[in-house]
Amino acid sequence: MSFLVEHGFDFNRLFRDGISFCARRPSDKSHNHSHHVLFSLMDRITSFKKPLILHNGLFDIMFLYHSFIDELPPELDLFTAKLHDSFPPIYDTKYIADQSSETITYLEYLYNKSKRKNDESLRSSKNCIVCEIPETSSSSFPKQSQKIKNAVCRYYSQYGFCNYGQSCVGSHDINFILDEEERSNKKRKATNHEPDMHLPELKKRKTTLSENEEKAEVPSSINSHNNTNITSETSSILDNQTQMHTAGHDAFATGYLFADFKNNNSIENFEEKYANNLFLMKNDRPLRIYKSRYISQ
């Protein structure tokens, strides 16, 4: 809830204009029309057998299954078997990125990096992806309405979030992060030294972090309830934002990323390598979606 509030989600509009929906297919035809429309849409998606593209999509596919098909099965093998039968091939762009040379795999970073690369290829008349989001939609990820800062926030640059929010001494601006990464890589190539994106101002903050946060791959306080209150300063920042977090733009960015990955990989073995593998946090292996011959449904 706090994430939605911080990104300007309009709950009043949700209840006023949102499509009413209850999980799973209605048996009573007296249900409202909008309810049936969603199930018809899902039927069309699955019947055409077009790939389903997700980013870090485990919870997404669980939500879709629970909403449109049935209760979540109690056993993992049964769940993967039912997913295999219920959906077309599923691709997880976070898994694809993780299997590639990318060390940073959150959507905002990958999309903007991919967009930069393709824009440069277009200017150089090289093979590239040319696809733009409609002007009526949000054209970017949420703007980070912070004061201009001279250092990159290392947590945000690595994971796409930061517990310090607007009070962070480092920048959360993705373009600045990518600029600094490019500058640092050029410097490293020239001097054969590791890149150092963290200026002294940012290093001072390190002493304020708990020992557990320093050692953890992902800060342990990301779900802290301390961040649920929105101050008047934060509210004024939100009022000045022109770009809000939208599912539509996330979907576009995920599709764009998938097209870029496919454009840069061998078509012959792409499906074999990446289809029906969902990324799992802190796990070297994906969740494989397949139908075991030992499962009886």
Side-chain angles (χ1 to χ4, degrees):
M1 294 289 285
S2 60
F3 174 85
L4 294 175
V5 173
E6 290 169 5
H7 288 81
F9 188 85
D10 189 342
F11 286 95
N12 289 326
R13 185 181 178 190
L14 169 66
F15 290 108
R16 184 181 67 247
D17 303 326
I19 299 175
S20 59
F21 176 76
C22 60
R24 290 175 293 285
R25 189 177 303 278
S27 57
D28 183 1
K29 294 185 178 180
S30 65
H31 283 281
N32 62 56
H33 175 68
S34 62
H35 189 103
H36 289 278
V37 167
L38 290 176
F39 283 95
S40 297
L41 178 61
M42 194 65 188
D43 288 341
R44 289 294 186 93
I45 292 173
T46 54
S47 64
F48 281 108
K49 298 297 181 182
K50 296 298 183 182
L52 187 62
I53 315 300
L54 308 168
H55 186 84
N56 200 13
L58 177 59
F59 288 113
D60 295 323
I61 202 67
M62 290 172 66
F63 176 80
L64 288 174
Y65 185 93
H66 180 264
S67 298
F68 292 100
I69 299 174
D70 201 352
E71 293 282 355
L72 292 173
E75 298 176 1
L76 179 61
D77 286 346
L78 181 57
F79 176 55
T80 57
K82 285 183 174 291
L83 282 181
H84 183 273
D85 290 342
S86 303
F87 292 99
I90 299 172
Y91 290 91
D92 189 333
T93 51
K94 189 173 180 71
Y95 171 74
I96 298 175
D98 185 65
Q99 295 299 299
S100 306
S101 58
E102 297 292 345
T103 56
I104 301 174
T105 58
Y106 63 92
L107 183 59
E108 181 185 12
Y109 172 89
L110 290 172
Y111 169 72
N112 281 278
K113 183 176 180 179
S114 175
K115 190 71 166 61
R116 282 190 174 204
K117 181 195 69 176
N118 279 285
D119 288 347
E120 179 61 32
S121 296
L122 180 61
R123 288 190 291 269
S124 304
S125 299
K126 297 179 180 178
N127 184 31
C128 63
I129 300 297
V130 180
C131 184
E132 299 294 338
I133 194 168
E135 294 183 1
T136 55
S137 304
S138 296
S139 59
S140 66
F141 285 87
K143 299 293 184 182
Q144 297 294 329
S145 301
Q146 298 175 308
K147 295 179 181 179
I148 297 176
K149 298 173 182 179
N150 297 320
V152 168
C153 169
R154 66 187 182 89
Y155 278 157
Y156 193 90
S157 66
Q158 290 289 318
Y159 306 113
F161 63 80
C162 171
N163 293 338
Y164 291 86
Q166 300 293 337
S167 64
C168 180
V169 297
S171 175
H172 296 173
D173 183 273
I174 192 64
N175 287 311
F176 179 63
I177 290 171
L178 288 169
D179 288 342
E180 287 296 283
E181 181 182 280
E182 291 176 1
R183 179 192 63 78
S184 187
N185 287 337
K186 289 179 181 178
K187 181 179 178 181
R188 180 182 58 180
K189 290 179 180 179
T191 61
N192 291 324
H193 286 83
E194 288 297 317
D196 183 9
M197 295 169 61
H198 314 299
L199 301 183
E201 178 190 19
L202 191 57
K203 289 181 179 178
K204 292 178 182 177
R205 198 194 74 181
K206 185 175 180 179
T207 59
T208 68
L209 301 176
S210 70
E211 182 179 356
N212 288 336
E213 282 183 316
E214 277 299 295
K215 293 180 179 179
E217 179 183 4
V218 179
S220 59
S221 59
I222 184 62
N223 292 319
S224 171
H225 293 290
N226 295 332
N227 294 329
T228 57
N229 295 326
I230 297 182
T231 64
S232 57
E233 179 183 358
T234 305
S235 297
S236 65
I237 290 173
L238 290 174
D239 290 339
N240 293 328
Q241 287 183 338
T242 57
Q243 304 290 348
M244 299 302 179
H245 179 87
T246 66
H249 184 267
D250 285 1
F252 172 84
T254 302
Y256 184 98
L257 196 57
F258 176 76
D260 186 44
F261 281 134
K262 198 162 187 179
N263 188 49
N264 289 281
N265 283 272
S266 170
I267 300 298
E268 288 74 21
N269 63 353
F270 189 86
E271 181 173 352
E272 180 182 342
K273 287 176 61 177
Y274 300 122
N276 292 332
N277 288 288
L278 293 180
F279 180 84
L280 293 177
M281 294 292 292
K282 297 185 178 181
N283 198 312
D284 293 334
R285 296 182 179 181
L287 174 62
R288 294 187 59 227
I289 301 173
Y290 69 101
K291 186 173 182 179
S292 172
R293 64 177 181 270
Y294 300 109
I295 291 295
S296 60
Q297 300 184 49

